[in-house]
Amino acid sequence: SLRGSWRLRSGNGSVSLRAEVPGCVHTALLRRGLIQDPYYRFNDVMYRWISLDNWTYSRTFKTPFDVRKWQKVNLVFEGVDTVAQILLNNVTLGRTDNMFNRYSFDITSVIQEVNFVEVRFLSAISYAAEQSRCHKAHSIPPACPPPVQKGECHVNFIRKEQCSFSWDWGPSFPTQGIWKDVRIEAYNHYHLIYFSLTPFFVKSAQQWCLEVESIFDVVSSGPVAGLVTVNIPKLQTQQTFSVKLQPGEGSIVLLVNINKSSTVEAWWPNGHGKQTGYNMTTTFTMEAGCQIEKFSKVYFRTVELVQEPIPGSPGLSFYFRINGRPIFIKGSNWIPADSFQDRVTYDTLRLLLKSAADANMNALRVWGGGVYEQDEFYDICDEIGIMIWQDFMFACALYPTDQNYLESVRAEVSHQVRRLKSHPSIILWSGNNENEAALASNWFSIPYADIGVYIKDYVTLYVKNIREVVLTEDKSRPFVASSPTNGLESVKEGWLSRDPYDTHYGDTHFYDYNSDCWNWTVYPKTRFASEYGFQSWPSFSTIEKVSSPEDWSYTSNFSLHRQHHEGGNIQMLQEIGRHFKLPQSPDPVKQFKDMIYLTQVMQAQCIKTETEFYRFSQSEIINGEGHTMGALYWQLNDIWQAPSWASLEYGGKWKLLHYFAQNFFAPLLPVAYEDKGMLHIYGVSDLHVDHKLTLRVVVHAWSSLEPVCTLAKEGVTVKAQSAVPIYEESISDLLERCRNCTRKSCVITFCLVGEDGLRSPTNHYFLSSLKDAVGLEKTQLSASVSQQDDLYIFVLQTTAIAPFVSLDVGNIKGRFSDNGFLMTEKKKMVVFYPWEPTSVEELESSLILTSLLDVV
């Protein structure tokens, strides 16, 4: 391995330092104290010089073996970011220009006892500009990001993380560095490069089969014969095969039949069963000596993307069947966890992914403007049951299709599919993010006469190249060319549909910052909602780390600088103003903190309303629309500390939205909405069996902790994996029944309760805006903290009904069992799960309790 300490120097040699590999220039400079935190205040703009320079990594190493004994020696880079010339002992081995590719250089004739290796980088910014300049055929829009993003231009001309040139939630840090493993490999005869497992269920035989594929570099002059033994002890399955490897890139595909007398436990998504995996050993014993033993975990699951006619609805369905069972997809969209990939550790990934599972999610979409995630990301998803919708890395742009570019992309796709296809968590390959929509809606104002060229480019890239490679490498998963798309209908229309946002086909992305987000009628009754969202600010403790006191106001230069979405801060104010009183505190810092709190309340409540709408639409068709089978909100995580659509802040802290998600994605949930003066309550269930439950509906006056009236409807059947109406009543009858109630003075809460402890979260429905609520009183909130084993118990007390009660312990890492809730009882117990050691004293002194009436 060549991991560890390298030398790094700037283009003219004026800066020279020690740098860790894997790593990048920015983190190297930071570690040596040569720059401040790149995320601090305005540093994203101050440090542009780093990305504009051309840096060189170099080191010497002793060869730890006798070179003469090996037929082949390679220098292998798992990832180079991005444009570089690679030299060994002053001999140029080759060049790299794709961050997502694996590069292997034959150094058999160049390697010596002591070696000097150099990686000479070219600025990604200047490379992209040059590539664009040389592309004479036709322009490839967009040229530059909107000015509000403070980004760099022509990112579509470089095979690099697209958001590293800025995005509407992230900074521009076009990194340079050796971002993945680098090593020397030496071998005789043959060497295993890729190894993958694809399970499938043979219906006719009622038996699981396993396809084991191995790809080798064979350096012998003639074929190499030998034996391969596959052993899965737990499934009493062992098979031996005679194989022959041809010189060059030799591959073997073995079909292993799983012993019929063994019970195979399938891999299920979170909330639907276990994630059983089986240990497997594959042994290669070849005539030419060395034996290879490969240990892996194998999982068994099937996936189908179902697109079929639906009775009473034009168009086609769009849903996933896992192991033959339709699954409602619940989750979010994943973006890179840091601008500097070397800072994304296993623990970072584990925390974020575990938080997704803890919020009852079963899926994430790895969005196409970031990176193909590291192996550990998918390993964790396999273990905890998070299904992955995997985009290829093309987003919100048109792309070139010249020969060199296409060859690079084909290599990238082939490498990534081979690397990732054994993961049961990955259920779909998707060609790009929003590029079909960009053409269909003509985002880039291409003249009508020229559009044909761009359509041809689109089909060339995503269909004739990417799709072709994917289908060659992996026949076990569905592929869609874009998101949003009309699925099979897009294919029928030549891969470019008239309206990719059509609710009768495929998936949709939906954003609307001008309508009232509490009004469910503005949302599309789509087959599958793969993106939708609202922004909020991260908590003060998160912002504080990268700002100074003069920044702490909603209208400061810093607050404007951090907002990369045009008009974003004002849109949040407008959404808040519809339902809440805006903060008026004379103390600017208090007003800033109040604003942060209200943006999080607003975001949580908006996305709750929208997600509940998607969930209750799963079993019905109304005016030809419905059967919604997926809700992935935008976005799960943050790349830095800034206002964004995320529910998890940079560092992993849960925003109120993430606590709300834990409830609105609950396996069992009653959902209320109002239509023409009628209150409708649906029972939504992801459980595999029907349940007879009691629906409890409680009406409270804002002015009292004693309920005004309670109704218990018994024997309510909530059907398995569906959403059914379980209660309806006109609002006027309800207000009549609960005397002294008006829309402004009362609130409705409701939950489902069953036998043996089965219980839904308690949900709420507001009958008016909270700024119009009558009888809400400022409450005295208090909390006592005690320790119980590794957990901490917070007992909250209130003197009046308190909406949106928030517990915040600042920088203490961990999460609560519930947060942002409507408190309708004098006492409530909340558990704190620490992510690092803390104490009762620390928690008590850090705790800030806020409810809606603390905002003045």
Side-chain angles (χ1 to χ4, degrees):
S1 171
L2 293 179
R3 294 171 83 100
S5 193
W6 288 52
R7 288 303 301 170
L8 173 62
R9 60 182 179 80
S10 59
N12 65 4
S14 60
V15 184
S16 176
L17 61 149
R18 210 174 72 232
E20 286 299 307
V21 168
C24 72
V25 174
H26 289 79
T27 46
L29 291 167
L30 180 63
R31 274 201 183 138
R32 305 245 69 77
L34 296 171
I35 57 169
Q36 287 177 313
D37 177 357
Y39 285 172
Y40 182 67
R41 297 194 78 206
F42 306 94
N43 283 349
D44 55 321
V45 175
M46 304 297 286
Y47 291 158
R48 270 194 76 202
W49 63 271
I50 299 170
S51 304
L52 290 167
D53 205 340
N54 303 321
W55 298 79
T56 296
Y57 277 80
S58 61
R59 69 164 284 175
T60 51
F61 67 92
K62 284 200 179 87
T63 306
F65 49 82
D66 182 349
V67 178
R68 290 165 306 193
K69 286 189 179 154
W70 301 96
Q71 280 172 293
K72 191 160 184 191
V73 185
N74 287 335
L75 171 59
V76 181
F77 290 88
E78 286 296 333
V80 180
D81 174 17
T82 293
V83 184
Q85 181 185 3
I86 316 285
L87 298 95
L88 183 65
N89 303 327
N90 297 322
V91 175
T92 298
L93 302 176
R95 294 172 191 276
T96 67
D97 60 6
N98 188 328
M99 172 179 184
F100 308 121
N101 220 333
R102 178 175 181 274
Y103 288 93
S104 180
F105 300 103
D106 184 345
I107 55 168
T108 319
S109 58
V110 187
I111 194 167
Q112 299 164 4
E113 271 177 46
V114 177
N115 302 275
F116 179 60
V117 60
E118 260 186 308
V119 181
R120 295 181 189 164
F121 283 97
L122 184 64
S123 160
I125 300 168
S126 43
Y127 173 84
E130 178 64 13
Q131 290 300 108
S132 162
R133 211 175 52 71
C134 294
H135 193 276
K136 298 280 193 280
H138 48 278
S139 69
I140 310 270
C144 299
V148 68
Q149 287 178 202
K150 297 165 266 295
E152 304 294 351
C153 300
H154 305 299
V155 71
N156 46 349
F157 276 93
I158 180 168
R159 290 313 297 145
K160 176 175 171 64
E161 178 185 23
Q162 297 290 279
C163 66
S164 66
F165 277 43
S166 84
W167 214 259
D168 58 6
W169 36 251
S172 173
F173 282 114
T175 44
Q176 291 172 42
I178 301 168
W179 74 293
K180 287 183 178 249
D181 197 34
V182 52
R183 62 182 181 274
I184 304 289
E185 288 174 352
Y187 47 93
N188 292 327
H189 312 301
Y190 71 109
H191 176 68
L192 180 63
I193 313 174
Y194 294 102
F195 180 80
S196 61
L197 311 170
T198 308
F200 52 95
F201 188 71
V202 184
K203 284 209 176 98
S204 55
Q206 286 296 296
Q207 182 179 28
W208 283 96
C209 258
L210 186 62
E211 190 179 278
V212 181
E213 188 179 3
S214 315
I215 298 175
F216 295 88
D217 179 23
V218 181
V219 290
S220 299
S221 47
V224 180
L227 298 176
V228 182
T229 303
V230 176
N231 186 13
I232 311 171
K234 269 258 174 74
L235 295 175
Q236 285 97 48
T237 298
Q238 179 163 345
Q239 261 174 271
T240 299
F241 304 83
S242 297
V243 297
K244 195 175 258 181
L245 294 176
Q246 297 305 324
E249 187 175 273
S251 77
I252 41 178
V253 179
L254 308 173
L255 277 180
V256 178
N257 292 314
I258 302 301
N259 189 332
K260 266 190 158 170
S261 58
S262 296
T263 311
V264 174
E265 278 189 36
W267 180 93
W268 286 97
N270 182 33
H272 290 277
K274 293 198 292 202
Q275 290 79 43
T276 309
Y278 296 92
N279 291 329
M280 164 173 151
T281 312
T282 310
T283 313
F284 300 87
T285 314
M286 309 306 270
E287 56 184 15
C290 79
Q291 189 184 42
I292 298 179
E293 225 177 1
K294 190 87 188 148
F295 299 101
S296 27
K297 216 175 191 72
V298 59
Y299 298 89
F300 294 87
R301 70 107 188 85
T302 61
V303 56
E304 301 153 273
L305 172 55
V306 183
Q307 302 182 69
E308 293 170 348
I310 299 172
S313 173
L316 298 169
S317 64
F318 191 91
Y319 69 89
F320 291 91
R321 265 204 302 249
I322 305 291
N323 304 324
R325 186 182 281 276
I327 304 280
F328 186 99
I329 302 279
K330 303 183 296 190
S332 188
N333 285 264
W334 172 272
I335 65 161
D338 205 296
S339 291
F340 312 108
Q341 279 293 318
D342 50 292
R343 299 206 293 203
V344 183
T345 62
Y346 176 84
D347 292 344
T348 311
L349 294 173
R350 179 100 208 164
L351 188 64
L352 293 167
L353 292 169
K354 185 81 177 72
S355 291
D358 287 345
N360 290 308
M361 296 184 186
N362 60 25
L364 292 170
R365 170 171 171 250
V366 174
W367 167 77
V371 298
Y372 304 94
E373 279 299 330
Q374 39 189 300
D375 296 341
E376 286 86 353
F377 174 93
Y378 302 96
D379 290 340
I380 297 165
C381 292
D382 294 345
E383 283 162 36
I384 64 180
I386 300 288
M387 295 177 282
I388 295 296
W389 169 315
Q390 178 68 51
D391 280 3
F392 287 97
M393 295 301 132
F394 302 85
C396 300
L398 305 184
Y399 288 87
T401 54
D402 49 275
Q403 221 31 57
N404 288 348
Y405 188 85
L406 290 176
E407 273 169 28
S408 181
V409 167
R410 287 179 77 95
E412 160 191 333
V413 171
S414 163
H415 167 61
Q416 295 297 344
V417 173
R418 287 173 176 184
R419 176 174 77 95
L420 297 174
K421 69 177 176 180
S422 303
H423 291 283
S425 50
I426 300 175
I427 59 166
L428 176 75
W429 302 113
S430 173
N432 67 68
N433 173 71
E434 293 181 354
N435 299 348
E436 180 183 343
L439 278 175
S441 317
N442 201 6
W443 292 0
F444 308 122
S445 313
I446 295 163
Y448 184 72
D450 302 342
I451 203 93
V453 179
Y454 294 96
I455 292 173
K456 187 168 174 288
D457 277 359
Y458 181 91
V459 174
T460 298
L461 180 57
Y462 303 110
V463 185
K464 294 183 176 159
N465 283 279
I466 293 176
R467 179 173 178 269
E468 186 186 284
V469 174
V470 172
L471 296 184
T472 306
E473 295 291 345
D474 180 19
K475 293 171 185 59
S476 72
R477 283 179 187 79
F479 172 91
V480 292
S482 186
S483 173
T485 178
N486 288 347
L488 291 177
E489 180 60 22
S490 285
V491 178
K492 205 166 123 191
E493 294 178 34
W495 298 95
L496 242 117
S497 58
R498 269 179 317 99
D499 175 19
Y501 297 96
D502 189 332
T503 52
H504 304 91
Y505 299 96
D507 63 326
T508 57
H509 295 187
F510 181 80
Y511 295 95
D512 177 353
Y513 311 112
N514 301 316
S515 308
D516 175 4
C517 73
W518 291 19
N519 171 13
W520 60 271
T521 63
V522 305
Y523 300 123
K525 213 170 178 77
T526 173
R527 304 288 189 224
F528 197 108
S530 50
E531 269 195 37
Y532 58 96
F534 295 89
Q535 283 198 320
S536 72
W537 273 78
S539 49
F540 184 73
S541 60
T542 296
I543 286 292
E544 198 178 11
K545 295 185 182 76
V546 290
S547 57
S548 68
E550 72 211 69
D551 302 327
W552 299 339
S553 102
Y554 197 72
T555 53
S556 67
N557 285 342
F558 171 83
S559 293
L560 209 60
H561 178 83
R562 238 35 195 201
Q563 174 58 271
H564 280 198
H565 165 60
E566 191 65 62
N569 289 349
I570 290 154
Q571 286 166 357
M572 281 185 269
L573 276 179
Q574 285 170 335
E575 280 296 352
I576 291 164
R578 286 181 206 280
H579 299 291
F580 305 102
K581 292 175 180 142
L582 290 170
Q584 302 290 321
S585 172
D587 171 3
V589 177
K590 161 86 168 100
Q591 194 184 5
F592 185 49
K593 289 178 176 173
D594 286 349
M595 268 315 297
I596 289 173
Y597 165 77
L598 281 178
T599 65
Q600 290 207 15
V601 166
M602 179 273 302
Q603 177 195 37
Q605 187 67 27
C606 289
I607 293 186
K608 168 189 191 287
T609 308
E610 188 166 355
T611 307
E612 288 180 350
F613 169 72
Y614 295 138
R615 285 194 78 187
F616 81 65
S617 299
Q618 68 182 274
S619 306
E620 66 187 17
I621 294 290
I622 291 176
N623 301 328
E625 296 182 318
H627 277 211
T628 307
M629 282 299 284
L632 300 171
Y633 66 76
W634 184 270
Q635 68 207 62
L636 179 72
N637 57 318
D638 256 335
I639 197 165
W640 71 332
Q641 308 88 339
S644 81
W645 293 258
S647 63
L648 296 174
E649 302 179 2
Y650 181 77
K653 186 171 180 173
W654 289 27
K655 285 184 181 176
L656 293 185
L657 168 56
H658 208 82
Y659 289 103
F660 273 49
Q662 188 174 224
N663 289 333
F664 65 60
F665 282 146
L668 177 68
L669 184 71
V671 170
Y673 71 97
E674 201 184 309
D675 194 19
K676 303 184 181 68
M678 295 291 289
L679 177 75
H680 299 265
I681 298 181
Y682 277 53
V684 179
S685 170
D686 285 326
L687 306 170
H688 291 193
V689 290
D690 296 358
H691 284 278
K692 267 209 167 15
L693 305 165
T694 300
L695 172 70
R696 290 208 184 124
V697 182
V698 181
V699 178
H700 276 276
W702 285 120
S703 56
S704 165
L705 285 164
E706 292 306 315
V708 180
C709 65
T710 305
L711 174 137
K713 182 180 172 186
E714 292 179 5
V716 171
T717 300
V718 174
K719 294 188 60 155
Q721 294 196 275
S722 55
V724 290
I726 51 175
Y727 182 78
E728 66 177 61
E729 182 178 11
S730 82
I731 301 277
S732 51
D733 289 359
L734 181 118
L735 295 174
E736 188 75 17
R737 183 164 65 77
C738 304
R739 275 189 245 289
N740 306 332
C741 259
T742 67
R743 275 183 171 274
K744 292 181 177 174
S745 67
C746 290
V747 61
I748 307 171
T749 65
F750 45 96
C751 73
L752 288 164
V753 185
E755 308 289 302
D756 35 88
L758 182 64
R759 192 190 179 104
S760 78
T762 298
N763 208 340
H764 59 257
Y765 184 73
F766 299 128
L767 293 161
S768 75
S769 285
L770 269 69
K771 64 180 178 185
D772 302 325
V774 172
L776 265 179
E777 296 159 22
K778 192 158 166 50
T779 167
Q780 293 305 176
L781 277 176
S782 62
S784 64
V785 189
S786 59
Q787 188 171 356
Q788 200 178 319
D789 303 323
D790 294 342
L791 306 176
Y792 294 87
I793 312 296
F794 287 66
V795 178
L796 267 63
Q797 302 206 23
T798 182
T799 53
I801 287 195
F804 302 111
V805 175
S806 149
L807 299 92
D808 188 333
V809 288
N811 288 317
I812 299 172
K813 285 194 185 304
R815 71 165 179 99
F816 292 96
S817 55
D818 194 4
N819 213 338
F821 44 83
L822 174 65
M823 196 160 168
T824 54
E825 276 150 354
K826 283 196 183 79
K827 251 191 178 166
K828 180 174 167 88
M829 192 188 89
V830 177
V831 180
F832 181 72
Y833 301 95
W835 295 334
E836 59 184 22
T838 180
S839 65
V840 169
E841 297 73 47
E842 231 186 347
L843 288 165
E844 279 174 342
S845 64
S846 300
L847 178 66
I848 298 167
L849 285 172
T850 313
S851 79
L852 191 60
L853 279 123
D854 295 314
V855 172
V856 289

